[in-house]
Amino acid sequence: MMNRIFISIMFLSVAGSFCSFLFVMMEKYIYFFTSAKITSFINSIVLCMFIVPLYKIHSWYDNSEFLYAHYNFIVPIQHGNPINEIYQNIQSLSKFHYFMYIWLIGAILYLSISIIIQLFILLEIKRNHFTIPHENWTRVWHSLCEQHNQCQYIQQTELVSSTLFSQPCTTGFRKKYIIIPAKMLNLFHETEIEFILGHELMHIKRKDNLLKLLMIVLNAFNWFHPFFYIVKRSLYYWIEVACDEELIASFSKEKKKEYKNLMFKILLEEFDAMPQQCLSYFSGRDKTTLKRRIYAIMKTKSKVGVMGKIFATTCVGVMVLGGSALAKNLDGPVNMLFSDKVDFVEEENLTVYLEGEEIESDTLQYHDFDSKEFISEVIAGEVSPMNLEENAQYYVVFENGTIEEITNSNNGVRHSHNPVPATIKKHIKNKDGSCKTIYYDGAKCSCGQTWSYSIIKTVTEDPCTH
């Protein structure tokens, strides 16, 4: 079970890597033709491709998922082929589950540490926060509460201050906190305060805290994957731009400049204390990110048109379908590397018979029996021909070693039979992958009719090896 989960993570890594690469190449164009809100949504879909197994739809349809999970995957190898040797060396490690255990331990550690940090932050906030006494902050906050008094998100939000933080930020899940650093309480006038609180409320309205919590969980499954960290960081940027975009939608050009200047003002006051401790920062801690956000603020964007929506939908389709198709096409190599149900067989020792192909003579041998009396009874019409079942394959081998597959029986055609002693093989393949093979002493006529004398043996195989 754990082995199949680990292999699924490998397939998801392939699909996620493909989607991530395309998104990183196209994110600026997606934003140009759409909006930050749509871009962040597509970014979220890309990250979900690291955990949503869409490729399995095809695997379930063609039954390959069942076959890989329940039956051994037979791999023919050639001596001197370096690729085969690499597969075998990795496979020897995989059979001891080293890769799986490393991944599992890493996932548990990452998730545990992330949860502990978040709980520690919330606990410290409850211990050290205090109500903001400054009139400017309380007046603007009450004004915003009156404007949004019908919204549940503002009823579950508390404005507090703390000495633990260096930027205005939002944290919390069921109950949210907008936290203002104590050292910044006297720095801003009412318009700037309105900008700060408006931005943080936008995070709460958009449920960005829950989205970032989901990213922590997804990151635990993909703690080893560099592409995931790249695209996750990009998502955090687009979340901030989307909040800016929605907040300043009705701002004048002068008001946008004030908002931009506020970002610089906060960044200059910030110091490097306790980084990465809350779910969203007002200005961000990266100069490049801040520069890109300022560019987005000052740029005038029109509403998303039909062509923009079509372009965004096309991009999502290419990423999702392309990533899923690539993961599906790597069925063989991934299972060859990491499955615990792989057998490497030397190519010269492996023979595979497809349905309808003639079996080699050394796999079916003639069984000698006292056939004179039986042949006489057949000629006299005292023995009825075999009833050939539609779901079974029949082969006969004659005394001289010649093998024939019985494809048709001319039952009911009257003529003078000339039956020849033969060993008959009846092969039935079941739907669950097993098979039943019955060997008979019998006889076959040139007209195609076959008679059975007695059963030599019955062989059941699960899975079928024919």
Side-chain angles (χ1 to χ4, degrees):
M1 180 64 178
M2 283 303 302
N3 182 253
R4 297 312 304 175
I5 293 175
F6 176 71
I7 289 174
S8 296
I9 293 295
M10 294 300 101
F11 280 124
L12 290 167
S13 295
V14 172
S17 297
F18 181 86
C19 294
S20 299
F21 177 76
L22 286 186
F23 178 77
V24 170
M25 298 297 292
M26 300 177 65
E27 60 180 326
K28 292 182 181 178
Y29 301 102
I30 294 172
Y31 173 63
F32 178 81
F33 287 107
T34 59
S35 65
K37 182 179 180 180
I38 292 176
T39 307
S40 64
F41 176 70
I42 294 175
N43 198 331
S44 303
I45 292 176
V46 170
L47 286 168
C48 286
M49 285 299 293
F50 282 93
I51 200 66
V52 179
L54 294 180
Y55 72 92
K56 281 187 179 288
I57 296 174
H58 191 190
S59 296
W60 290 327
Y61 177 77
D62 66 8
N63 207 35
S64 60
E65 180 69 19
F66 176 84
L67 294 175
Y68 281 120
H70 293 83
Y71 301 120
N72 281 10
F73 179 34
I74 300 174
V75 181
I77 60 173
Q78 298 175 342
H79 289 296
N81 189 329
I83 296 178
N84 288 139
E85 293 179 7
I86 292 172
Y87 279 135
Q88 284 183 284
N89 290 334
I90 295 178
Q91 195 28 242
S92 64
L93 293 175
S94 182
K95 285 184 176 178
F96 291 101
H97 306 288
Y98 290 159
F99 292 113
M100 182 179 68
Y101 288 137
I102 291 172
W103 165 76
L104 183 60
I105 292 170
I108 293 173
L109 285 176
Y110 183 94
L111 189 60
S112 301
I113 292 171
S114 298
I115 292 174
I116 290 170
I117 290 174
Q118 292 300 323
L119 292 176
F120 174 77
I121 292 169
L122 291 175
L123 183 62
E124 288 300 307
I125 290 171
K126 291 180 179 180
R127 286 178 178 175
N128 297 288
H129 79 275
F130 56 90
T131 303
I132 297 177
H134 295 70
E135 186 178 345
N136 287 352
W137 287 94
T138 55
R139 183 165 50 248
V140 173
W141 176 245
H142 289 314
S143 175
L144 288 172
C145 289
E146 289 176 4
Q147 294 176 27
H148 302 274
N149 62 352
Q150 300 299 323
C151 301
Q152 187 178 9
Y153 64 82
I154 203 164
Q155 297 171 6
Q156 298 174 338
T157 304
E158 185 177 352
L159 176 65
V160 298
S161 184
S162 173
T163 58
L164 299 176
F165 296 88
S166 59
Q167 278 198 37
C169 63
T170 301
T171 190
F173 301 105
R174 188 176 62 85
K175 183 176 182 178
K176 289 85 176 176
Y177 295 91
I178 296 177
I179 305 165
I180 308 301
K183 64 173 291 185
M184 293 186 179
L185 291 176
N186 296 315
L187 292 178
F188 309 113
H189 54 73
E190 287 195 13
T191 301
E192 292 174 330
I193 294 171
E194 186 177 350
F195 289 160
I196 293 171
L197 297 181
H199 180 93
E200 300 305 328
L201 281 175
M202 202 62 67
H203 279 299
I204 297 171
K205 177 183 176 182
R206 287 165 41 85
K207 297 183 172 60
D208 289 335
N209 52 345
L210 295 179
L211 177 59
K212 291 186 176 183
L213 178 63
L214 174 63
M215 291 306 110
I216 291 174
V217 176
L218 296 188
N219 207 158
F221 287 96
N222 297 275
W223 60 268
F224 60 91
H225 207 302
F227 264 127
F228 191 93
Y229 292 93
I230 293 171
V231 182
K232 185 179 76 169
R233 181 173 180 176
S234 181
L235 174 65
Y236 290 173
Y237 161 71
W238 288 116
I239 285 174
E240 296 299 329
V241 176
C243 283
D244 293 338
E245 187 178 75
E246 193 167 346
L247 180 65
I248 68 173
S250 60
F251 283 12
S252 64
K253 192 171 182 179
E254 291 300 319
K255 206 169 183 181
K256 287 181 181 180
K257 287 183 178 179
E258 288 185 61
Y259 189 79
K260 173 197 70 174
N261 293 334
L262 174 61
M263 285 188 179
F264 283 117
K265 189 174 181 179
I266 292 176
L267 191 63
L268 290 173
E269 291 293 332
E270 182 191 5
F271 57 91
D272 294 326
M274 293 184 68
Q276 307 299 329
Q277 58 185 314
C278 57
L279 292 171
S280 58
Y281 285 106
F282 180 83
S283 64
R285 310 180 74 91
D286 183 86
K287 292 181 180 179
T288 303
T289 299
L290 180 61
K291 182 179 178 181
R292 291 170 65 189
R293 284 182 62 193
I294 290 171
Y295 172 77
I297 290 168
M298 299 310 296
K299 182 181 178 182
T300 303
K301 285 187 68 66
S302 57
K303 290 185 178 180
V304 181
V306 175
M307 292 304 296
K309 293 177 181 178
I310 292 174
F311 177 73
T313 304
T314 302
C315 290
V316 171
V318 170
M319 293 174 191
V320 171
L321 296 179
S324 300
L326 179 61
K328 173 58 183 172
N329 287 335
L330 291 176
D331 255 355
V334 172
N335 279 280
M336 200 182 301
L337 284 170
F338 302 111
S339 176
D340 58 1
K341 291 180 175 291
V342 177
D343 288 332
F344 288 90
V345 181
E346 293 183 4
E347 196 171 43
E348 59 268 22
N349 296 332
L350 180 66
T351 305
V352 179
Y353 296 99
L354 300 178
E355 185 177 357
E357 289 186 346
E358 185 175 338
I359 297 179
E360 294 178 1
S361 59
D362 61 349
T363 63
L364 179 59
Q365 297 179 350
Y366 175 77
H367 181 258
D368 192 19
F369 71 105
D370 187 5
S371 60
K372 290 183 180 180
E373 185 178 350
F374 177 65
I375 295 297
S376 299
E377 293 176 353
V378 169
I379 293 174
E382 297 175 2
V383 181
S384 299
M386 289 183 67
N387 182 25
L388 303 185
E389 300 174 17
E390 292 184 0
N391 65 334
Q393 292 176 295
Y394 294 84
Y395 300 89
V396 294
V397 56
F398 299 103
E399 193 171 2
N400 63 2
T402 303
I403 294 178
E404 292 181 4
E405 180 181 5
I406 305 173
T407 57
N408 184 34
S409 177
N410 295 322
N411 289 335
V413 177
R414 294 184 177 276
H415 80 116
S416 182
H417 291 300
N418 183 26
V420 178
T423 298
I424 303 167
K425 174 184 173 182
K426 175 183 177 183
H427 177 251
I428 304 172
K429 190 166 185 178
N430 302 316
K431 291 182 179 179
D432 63 359
S434 63
C435 73
K436 182 179 182 181
T437 307
I438 306 173
Y439 296 89
Y440 302 89
D441 286 328
K444 181 178 182 296
C445 179
S446 58
C447 70
Q449 286 189 331
T450 310
W451 297 263
S452 63
Y453 176 66
S454 62
I455 295 177
I456 303 170
K457 63 178 180 179
T458 301
V459 179
T460 302
E461 294 180 288
D462 187 8
C464 175
T465 59
H466 297 88

